[in-house]
Amino acid sequence: QVQLVESGGGLVQAGGSLRLSCAASGRTVSIYRMGWFRQAPGKEREFVAFIIWSGGATYYADSVKGRFTISRENAKHTVYLQMNSLKLEDTAVYYCAASPASLRTEWNYWGQGTQVTVSS
């Protein structure tokens, strides 16, 4: 099992920046990829970005390309989401997720979420 704990959410003005963190614990050696999703009120959860743990390849949703950057710190088993030029529509609960190597296409593990609110 893998446990994920997010931190770093908060209130920020439009155009500002925030950095989210997600710390993994437990069977971290089994992690293939880690990513971020978000869910705005009344909307479905959507993909934001993910990173392949070995090698560091990254993938982004079109809506955040050029503004958000996902990165990892291997020694701390932590993934970050640097969010710049934030927009009102980025307001959502952001969730960290992980896929095990044994089931690479599935997001088996989820954090509890952290709220990001962008104000005008």
Side-chain angles (χ1 to χ4, degrees):
Q1 288 291 328
V2 173
Q3 294 78 44
L4 304 174
V5 178
E6 303 102 331
S7 60
L11 175 65
V12 64
Q13 285 192 324
S17 299
L18 276 177
R19 189 177 81 155
L20 306 182
S21 301
C22 175
S25 61
R27 285 183 52 83
T28 56
V29 293
S30 69
I31 293 175
Y32 167 67
R33 61 179 180 173
M34 290 182 68
W36 292 94
F37 291 74
R38 66 186 181 186
Q39 187 167 20
K43 295 188 177 182
E44 293 188 353
R45 189 174 298 188
E46 65 175 4
F47 162 73
V48 175
F50 76 83
I51 185 166
I52 305 298
W53 204 252
S54 176
T58 57
Y59 302 85
Y60 297 92
D62 288 342
S63 59
V64 306
K65 277 182 184 176
R67 299 189 299 123
F68 290 9
T69 302
I70 189 169
S71 62
R72 75 198 191 294
E73 189 170 356
N74 287 5
K76 294 185 177 181
H77 302 110
T78 297
V79 66
Y80 304 98
L81 186 68
Q82 178 66 43
M83 305 185 294
N84 298 329
S85 303
L86 282 162
K87 304 176 181 180
L88 296 178
E89 52 264 40
D90 293 319
T91 294
V93 177
Y94 283 70
Y95 296 91
C96 178
S99 300
S102 59
L103 205 59
R104 296 183 173 188
T105 60
E106 299 296 325
W107 296 100
N108 274 25
Y109 306 109
W110 292 87
Q112 80 287 354
T114 186
Q115 177 71 47
V116 172
T117 302
V118 184
S119 64
S120 59

